[in-house]
Amino acid sequence: HGDIKPEKVGVQDNLVAALYGFNLSKIYVEEHTSLTTSGVTGASGYQAKELLNEDPATPATDVYAFGGLILAAMSGKQPFWNKRPVATILAVFNDKMPEPKDHTGLPTDDPPWKLLFAWWSGQPDNRPPMSTVLETTGASQADFRCVRPPDDVQDEKFKVRVKRETLIWSMVKHRNVLPFIGYQIVDEVPMIVSPWCKNGNLDIYTKAHPELRRSDKLELWFPVAQL
């Protein structure tokens, strides 16, 4: 995927999490089009060191990001929430990890910390594969949603991003990926269309439901790892 974070995970009507936002993904893109996915950019705090070094996204970088996803769900705060973006990048480059003292919503002696530290290893080969992550965590008709371009993105650049995401998303068929419906042109702007998640994304949903237990949050976010 290359950009796993709470804002890229929707909560479907059946309360099953599903990924969307594939503009940074690398799935057959370079084989089927003239597009390239090098120089990946995304959200600091969820990006492994090798992504910040402009290496391509891999399953290991998704494991790193998934750790940040779990931390945000369990503690209510994203990785390195108290650092500026540049400081976050420097911390990741120096193999620093989020500290329990900065995430009081997830007690220091809580078992997930041991798992998170393994997933955040600075060495990609030391991170467990997603299949091991699944085992370790013990997991067990719609309105339309249109993605509008950011104001600071030039038209041509945005069109390339839409073309890339449309291609990738249309090829990915999985129960934990929001279905790709198509795209439409509105006021000369291309917009990707997918089912509307009335519960919002994971960040919005968990903040709107403070009564959720940690086990409930883990069960909610778990499907993201099943891709």
Side-chain angles (χ1 to χ4, degrees), residues 34-213:
S34 59
L35 299 173
T36 176
T37 54
S38 61
V40 172
T41 59
S44 59
Y46 295 94
Q47 287 188 294
K49 178 167 62 176
E50 56 269 29
L51 281 183
L52 298 176
N53 199 35
E54 297 192 352
D55 290 343
T58 66
T61 62
D62 280 353
V63 169
Y64 184 98
F66 185 69
L69 198 69
I70 292 297
L71 177 64
M74 304 288 275
S75 73
K77 294 184 180 297
Q78 66 179 5
F80 303 113
W81 63 271
N82 55 348
K83 294 183 182 294
R84 295 179 180 273
V86 172
T88 296
I89 292 173
L90 290 174
V92 174
F93 262 119
N94 288 290
D95 295 331
K96 303 294 184 181
M97 302 180 186
E99 298 183 46
K101 66 179 179 63
D102 296 326
H103 295 270
T104 56
L106 185 60
T108 304
D109 57 354
D110 209 304
W113 279 110
K114 184 177 180 180
L115 302 177
L116 295 177
F117 290 147
W119 302 345
W120 291 328
S121 172
Q123 300 299 318
D125 292 342
N126 291 341
R127 297 176 205 142
M130 194 61 81
S131 58
T132 301
V133 171
L134 292 174
E135 295 172 1
T136 306
T137 51
S140 48
Q141 293 300 324
D143 295 324
F144 293 129
R145 165 187 168 273
C146 297
V147 181
R148 292 184 176 273
D151 294 335
D152 60 347
V153 175
Q154 297 178 357
D155 288 345
E156 288 304 316
K157 184 177 180 180
F158 177 71
K159 290 177 181 178
V160 170
R161 288 175 55 181
V162 171
K163 182 178 180 181
R164 180 194 298 126
E165 182 162 4
T166 299
L167 172 65
I168 296 173
W169 201 341
S170 65
M171 293 191 298
V172 178
K173 309 295 182 183
H174 193 280
R175 65 183 181 277
N176 295 332
V177 171
L178 280 180
F180 172 83
I181 294 176
Y183 71 92
Q184 60 181 354
I185 306 298
V186 178
D187 295 331
E188 300 183 355
V189 176
M191 295 186 179
I192 297 174
V193 183
S194 67
W196 175 257
C197 292
K198 66 180 182 182
N199 295 303
N201 59 46
L202 282 172
D203 185 49
I204 292 173
Y205 183 79
T206 52
K207 287 179 179 177
H209 294 274
E211 76 281 2
L212 289 174
R213 299 171 299 177

